[in-house]
């Protein structure tokens, strides 16, 4: 099934149409890429294998960097505005911290994603849903010249483009073509639990974060009107323990008696430092590129920001007349990603390593150390980032360096973590 007004046979005046940019995947990354390319006045086709709107396993938290990366005039379809966070450490040492200013907003992903796609369409992008991309080809009989990429669809149809953006999620076929390498894979499990008004009222404006029992794991409760999004995440390979953690977490919250409307799971994947972001005229962004904050596994802001950059550079690649210019623009795209999101990911990776070993330290800091809570607020509100804090705050830089060294020494000696995970 198709949406928009794209031609089914992709023919104009007897000749095959060549799109300037074809974007594969209509999530936040793909919709942002399509919008950026369409705003530049290019012919853009956005492909999505599902019918929209569709459900995605995601907490739906919109932090400051996400809000700042939205298209002009975009009105967030917020289900709640968060002013308080309750933290616990394995269900113990519970404490709630509050903020006068909103920390972040909560959305339902189907509605949010649909709205992003509509903005791309208003900018001029054409949409085809129910369309599965099997592969892309940059050489061979299907490719008429070196300035063209062939996008092969299930069923045999082939589309032609000057540039392709892969935004087809964490199991990306376009990412496989580019050669994306992954450094960290986690399993997220989630339940959407409808609750009575009396229960919903107790959660309004407040989220819950629990530091979990497995290294690097945590759980969350995000309120969205009459539904609570409850989830947990942990390293892949701990499937049974992760499922048990979610069940125990739901039970501990007093929500076991309510039937989930949706129960789902999803693998999140972070890129390796040397993972490519392009191949020829094909770029990847968002989950397809493994762009994700390693500690919190927050991905929406990374999708929106990298998608916008991918769309902008896809336009430049579409205009490139030869392989040298194409390569130069692809390298510029990689530099833009690595100098921004890459720096944040590197700090997040260090934070995850420390958190996995010493969750009690993080809990004690966020619940009892005012500068740590202030940093949390500023990051979620978009006033700063993890990378900026470490770069500009000598105390944070020294503390992380000391923890890095202690962990390296502990790992080298084979000793157990000398600091208890409990405060």
């Amino acid at each position: 099934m198709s949406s928009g007004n794209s031609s089914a046979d992709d023919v104009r005046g007897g000749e095959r149409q060549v799109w300037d940019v074809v974007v594969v995947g209509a999530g936040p990354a793909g919709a942002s890429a399509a919008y950026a390319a369409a705003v530049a006045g290019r012919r853009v086709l956005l492909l999505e294998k599902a019918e929209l709107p569709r459900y995605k396993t995601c907490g739906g938290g919109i932090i400051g960097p996400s809000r700042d990366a939205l298209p002009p005039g975009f009105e967030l379809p917020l289900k709640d505005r968060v002013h308080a966070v309750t933290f616990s450490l394995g269900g113990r040492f519970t404490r709630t911290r509050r903020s006068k200013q909103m920390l972040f907003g909560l959305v339902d992903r189907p509605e949010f994603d649909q709205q992003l796609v509509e903005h791309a369409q208003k900018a001029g992008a054409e949409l085809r849903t129910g369309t599965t991309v099997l592969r892309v080809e940059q050489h061979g009989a299907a490719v008429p010249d070196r300035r063209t990429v062939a996008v092969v669809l299930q069923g045999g149809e082939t589309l032609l483009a000057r540039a392709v953006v892969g935004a087809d999620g964490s199991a990306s076929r376009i990412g496989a073509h580019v050669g994306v390498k992954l450094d960290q894979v986690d399993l997220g499990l989630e339940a959407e639990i409808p609750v009575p008004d009396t229960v919903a009222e107790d959660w309004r404006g407040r989220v819950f974060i629990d530091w979990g029992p497995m290294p690097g794991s945590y759980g969350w409760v995000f309120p969205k009107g009459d539904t609570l999004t409850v989830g947990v995440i942990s390293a892949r390979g701990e499937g049974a323990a992760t499922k048990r953690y979610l069940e125990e977490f739901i039970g501990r919250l007093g929500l076991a008696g309510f039937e989930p409307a949706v129960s789902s799971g999803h693998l999140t994947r972070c890129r390796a430092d040397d993972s490519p972001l392009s191949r020829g005229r094909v770029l990847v962004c968002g989950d397809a590129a493994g762009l994700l904050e390693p500690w919190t596994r927050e991905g929406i802001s990374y999708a929106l920001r990298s998608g916008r950059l991918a769309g902008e550079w896809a336009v430049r690649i579409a205009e490139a007349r030869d392989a040298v210019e194409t390569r130069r623009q692809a390298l510029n795209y990689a530099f833009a990603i690595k100098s921004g999101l890459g720096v944040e990911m590197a700090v997040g990776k260090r934070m995850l390593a420390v958190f996995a070993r010493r969750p009690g330290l993080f809990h004690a800091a966020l619940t009892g150390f005012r500068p740590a809570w202030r940093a949390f607020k500023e990051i979620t509100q978009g006033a700063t980032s993890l990378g900026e804090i470490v770069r500009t705050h000598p105390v944070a830089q020294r503390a992380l360096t000391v923890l890095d060294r202690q962990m390296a020494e502990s790992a080298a000696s084979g000793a157990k973590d000398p600091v208890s995970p409990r405060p």
Side-chain angles (χ1 to χ4, degrees):
M1 180 178 176
S2 298
S3 298
N5 58 353
S6 63
S7 171
D9 58 3
D10 216 25
V11 173
R12 282 186 179 176
E15 293 184 2
R16 305 260 337 253
Q17 178 183 358
V18 180
W19 297 91
D20 291 319
V21 179
V22 168
V23 181
V24 183
S32 296
Y35 174 86
V39 160
R42 299 304 181 269
R43 289 171 299 170
V44 180
L45 179 61
L46 178 58
L47 304 176
E48 169 58 42
K49 67 180 179 181
E51 299 297 340
L52 299 176
R54 81 282 185 263
Y55 180 79
K56 284 285 184 181
T57 304
C58 176
I62 303 296
I63 60 175
S66 299
R67 183 195 62 236
D68 295 342
L70 293 168
F74 189 98
E75 292 187 14
L76 278 166
L78 294 181
K79 297 299 181 184
D80 207 340
R81 292 168 169 78
V82 177
H83 286 80
V85 183
T86 298
F87 296 99
S88 73
L89 183 61
R92 305 169 62 204
F93 309 106
T94 303
R95 183 174 179 187
T96 299
R97 303 299 304 260
R98 300 184 185 278
S99 170
K100 290 181 181 178
Q101 292 81 35
M102 185 178 82
L103 295 168
F104 55 94
L106 300 174
V107 298
D108 279 332
R109 278 290 302 275
E111 185 179 3
F112 176 70
D113 290 13
Q114 176 72 35
Q115 201 165 308
L116 283 171
V117 168
E118 289 171 0
H119 269 257
Q121 288 178 286
K122 287 175 185 175
E126 296 188 20
L127 170 70
R128 285 180 62 174
T129 59
T131 305
T132 299
V133 173
L134 294 182
R135 64 187 181 277
V136 292
E137 297 178 2
Q138 301 194 64
H139 307 282
V143 184
D145 57 61
R146 293 182 180 180
R147 291 190 59 217
T148 307
V149 181
V151 181
V152 182
L153 308 182
Q154 193 174 63
E157 184 183 357
T158 298
L159 307 173
L160 301 178
R162 297 292 182 211
V164 171
V165 175
D168 48 335
S170 61
S172 169
R173 290 183 176 179
I174 312 302
H177 172 81
V178 167
V180 172
K181 295 187 287 186
L182 303 169
D183 194 38
Q184 173 188 327
V185 183
D186 296 288
L187 171 64
L189 300 177
E190 194 169 77
E192 300 283 354
I193 306 177
V195 294
D197 290 344
T198 51
V199 176
E201 182 61 34
D202 185 52
W203 286 97
R204 195 153 291 135
R206 176 175 66 98
V207 302
F208 193 107
I209 296 176
D210 176 71
W211 312 120
M214 296 86 75
S217 68
Y218 74 96
W220 63 88
V221 181
F222 284 0
K224 299 170 186 174
D226 60 359
T227 298
L228 301 179
T229 298
V230 184
V232 301
I233 195 162
S234 184
R236 184 178 66 171
E238 298 279 353
T242 305
K243 184 179 180 183
R244 188 162 57 248
Y245 175 31
L246 178 60
E247 292 170 351
E248 291 173 352
F249 185 44
I250 289 173
R252 195 195 314 149
L253 293 165
L255 301 173
F258 303 112
E259 185 69 27
V262 179
S263 294
S264 62
H266 180 65
L267 291 176
T268 65
R269 299 172 168 93
C270 290
R271 69 188 295 273
D273 290 337
D274 61 345
S275 180
L277 290 160
S278 68
R279 179 179 172 185
R281 291 176 172 268
V282 178
L283 306 177
V284 286
C285 60
D287 285 344
L291 293 168
L292 191 77
E293 202 286 295
W295 175 33
T296 63
R297 290 78 153 190
E298 190 277 321
I300 294 177
S301 76
Y302 282 71
L304 292 169
R305 291 180 285 172
S306 67
R308 183 180 62 190
L309 290 171
E312 291 170 354
W313 257 276
V315 168
R316 295 165 187 169
I317 286 174
E319 294 169 347
R321 307 301 300 183
D322 55 36
V324 173
E325 178 63 12
T326 299
R327 180 64 177 157
R328 188 171 75 86
Q329 297 298 349
L331 287 173
N332 287 339
Y333 169 66
F335 178 78
I337 292 291
K338 291 175 183 177
S339 63
L341 299 179
V343 171
E344 293 180 30
M345 287 185 71
V347 176
K349 206 169 287 186
R350 293 169 70 190
M351 297 286 280
L352 175 64
V354 177
F355 169 67
R357 296 284 293 275
R358 306 170 75 167
L361 182 67
F362 277 78
H363 182 72
L366 283 169
T367 58
F369 186 49
R370 189 169 295 175
W373 170 245
R374 188 183 309 123
F376 178 91
K377 287 198 299 181
E378 290 177 352
I379 290 169
T380 58
Q381 290 168 341
T384 188
S385 67
L386 269 176
E388 187 70 11
I389 286 175
V390 172
R391 189 179 68 82
T392 60
H393 291 64
V395 173
Q397 198 171 53
R398 284 198 300 271
L400 200 51
T401 300
V402 168
L403 288 167
D404 284 344
R405 188 169 62 246
Q406 287 181 353
M407 290 180 61
E409 291 170 353
S410 176
S413 65
K416 290 185 177 180
D417 185 357
V419 178
S420 167
R422 303 302 178 196

